[in-house]
Amino acid sequence: MFKKIPGTRDILPDQVASWQGIEETSRSLFALYNYKEIRPPLIEEAGLFNRSLGDTAEIVQKQMFLIQKAEDEYALRPEGTASIVRAYVENNLDKTAGFEKFFYIGPMFRMERPQKGRLRQFHHIGCEAIGSRDPALDVEVISMADTLLRAFNIEGYTMVINSLGCANDRKEFSASLNAALKNHLPALCEDCKVRFDRNILRILDCKNESCKAIVKGLSLQNAHLCRQCAQDFQRVQKGLTSVGVRFEVSPYLVRGLDYYTGTVFEIKHHNLGPQQDALGAGGRYDTLVKELGGPDTGAIGFAFGVERLLLASHNPPSRPSAKLVYIIPLGDAAREHGIILLHTLRKNGILADTDYENRSLKGAMRRANDLQAAFCLIIGDDELKKNTVMCKNMATSKQKEVTESELINFLGAGCRG
Ligand code: HAM
């Protein structure tokens, strides 16, 4: 017997309603904010991610699913931002459209140690707004993330924001951290010892208790921000307050990917466990578009992990399903006629099915019950002769003989898909 790969999941039909609810809620909200869907491939040149996320990023170092084909190295996409910027540049959207707002929904792949809320194939719902450095856009993107969470019926989350500043500020920040942490080097965990040389900002993010204690003692104050970046960050905070988004500012929030500059944010939720508490995250990446061959322009986006949204929501939105009408033909002639009736019902937009297992009347009724059918249409020889069906309301158990010409009206709007 084959088993699924650890860290992957079968999303079974009884779970799909919540997935569709989350996806459809997102689609309509993104449409309201004028974001257009984009669907890049799931597989890209590995170099795209090395270049965008940075060679020292944990995802690039340890987590990429790589496929070697002769000279070429491909990767299953570990995230969406790099692909979307690549698509924006490759398709000349910077020249034809300029400023563009995208959203995407789909699977991502990371070779992680699987646990609750951490998978190897997981799903992102995300957006990227490319072509502007206006802090008002940061406000739109962060407040849209907040509105989405409310629409998913998720409570008890915390929106944490910070600014990493421009590339120069980041450099200065790294240098000041280097000076502050140098003496603590022996007390850092093994991972952070490596991060010290390769990606020092990530030490601020470490979950190890002794590293956390050292980091807490640093008293960071966003002092690295230049005047422009400090002003922009103030405007983002003012804008968020004016549209009613609650947030916390944390100078300790850094993101593990090289492309981030300026505003970064993370949405934390207590239900997810100590090792991974983020429902979603995002930020500005004002140098990436140029880095990938496009114009020197700003961009910002975020992504939610759908599996984590579902863990955090006790009442995820779900698509209301139509009521099922179940046809039970008794005998061969009725069975032949049942095919036509089934076709007619469906043509009229009614959710309908039938027994394909040749069950007895009792067995078919039991099956209809299991399927939570609203009505059973029983067709025997008598009904066939009169062009009627015996219509049983499964909630009241009342039966009524209905002519086929009246049937669509009788079943009513409740059964329409
Ligand atoms: P990220 O923080 O790597 O950001 O991923 C975003 C979200 O995806 C996380 O907050 C988490 O909810 C979910 N996630 C990540 N890894 C896993 C996993 N192994 N299993 C389950 N869920 C996971 C990005 O990917 C950026 N591209 C976000 C972004 C868009 N920044 C700007 N634009």
Side-chain angles (χ1 to χ4, degrees), residues 398-415:
K398 283 198 181 125
Q399 297 206 142
K400 187 171 187 282
E401 193 169 357
V402 183
T403 63
E404 285 195 10
S405 53
E406 292 166 348
L407 191 58
I408 306 294
N409 266 344
F410 178 81
L411 294 171
C415 297

Side-chain angles (χ1 to χ4, degrees), residues 41-293:
L42 305 194
I43 186 163
E44 295 270 5
E45 265 184 55
L48 171 67
F49 301 110
N50 299 356
R51 182 76 183 263
S52 310
L53 316 188
D55 283 332
T56 61
E58 215 153 317
I59 298 179
V60 169
Q61 290 263 311
K62 301 185 192 159
Q63 298 175 346
M64 292 233 281
F65 279 92
L66 296 170
I67 302 160
Q68 195 76 41
K69 275 277 165 207
E71 299 292 282
D72 300 320
E73 190 173 41
Y74 305 127
L76 295 184
R77 63 178 187 188
E79 60 105 56
T81 312
S83 296
I84 286 156
V85 173
R86 195 244 338 112
Y88 177 82
V89 173
E90 186 176 347
N91 293 289
N92 293 318
L93 300 184
D94 54 309
K95 299 187 187 82
T96 51
F99 178 62
E100 274 275 29
K101 305 201 282 190
F102 305 102
F103 79 89
Y104 51 100
I105 298 178
M108 304 290 159
F109 305 86
R110 294 184 193 174
M111 180 62 95
E112 305 219 50
R113 200 149 37 83
Q115 50 180 278
K116 180 184 166 196
R118 191 193 284 170
L119 293 134
R120 289 179 174 172
Q121 179 180 334
F122 59 99
H123 296 76
H124 268 175
I125 287 180
C127 69
E128 313 293 344
I130 306 179
S132 164
R133 291 198 165 97
D134 186 346
L137 183 61
D138 306 31
V139 177
E140 172 173 291
V141 166
I142 297 174
S143 69
M144 184 168 66
D146 188 67
T147 308
L148 272 166
L149 289 167
R150 287 164 200 269
F152 300 149
N153 299 321
I154 294 178
E155 288 168 358
Y157 60 87
T158 311
M159 175 74 72
V160 185
I161 68 170
N162 189 21
S163 175
L164 300 176
C166 53
N168 221 9
D169 296 351
R170 242 182 98 136
K171 234 185 261 163
E172 273 191 24
F173 190 27
S174 301
S176 69
L177 272 182
N178 187 298
L181 287 170
K182 209 185 278 172
N183 293 337
H184 297 284
L185 199 51
L188 293 174
C189 73
E190 289 313 305
D191 279 345
C192 281
K193 282 186 182 130
V194 178
R195 286 174 188 144
F196 184 84
D197 291 320
R198 292 189 167 173
N199 193 350
I200 196 162
L201 295 186
R202 285 298 327 250
I203 296 180
L204 301 184
D205 223 12
C206 183
K207 303 280 190 280
N208 180 294
E209 289 305 326
S210 64
C211 298
K212 270 197 208 166
I214 293 169
V215 162
K216 277 273 169 282
L218 294 179
S219 76
L220 302 175
Q221 300 294 341
N222 276 337
H224 61 283
L225 294 184
C226 66
R227 224 174 115 152
Q228 183 66 51
C229 290
Q231 240 173 36
D232 286 352
F233 193 40
Q234 282 306 321
R235 279 183 64 192
V236 173
Q237 294 178 57
K238 194 167 164 221
L240 288 175
T241 306
S242 73
V243 294
V245 175
R246 291 168 60 177
F247 60 90
E248 283 175 11
V249 177
S250 166
Y252 296 92
L253 176 70
V254 288
R255 304 272 305 129
L257 312 176
D258 263 10
Y259 57 57
Y260 287 114
T261 56
T263 310
V264 287
F265 59 101
E266 217 163 79
I267 299 131
K268 298 185 187 281
H269 197 280
H270 54 88
N271 247 9
L272 301 174
Q275 288 306 310
Q276 63 276 318
D277 57 359
L279 284 173
R284 279 209 157 266
Y285 43 96
D286 283 352
T287 51
L288 184 63
V289 181
K290 184 159 184 238
E291 188 119 323
L292 295 184

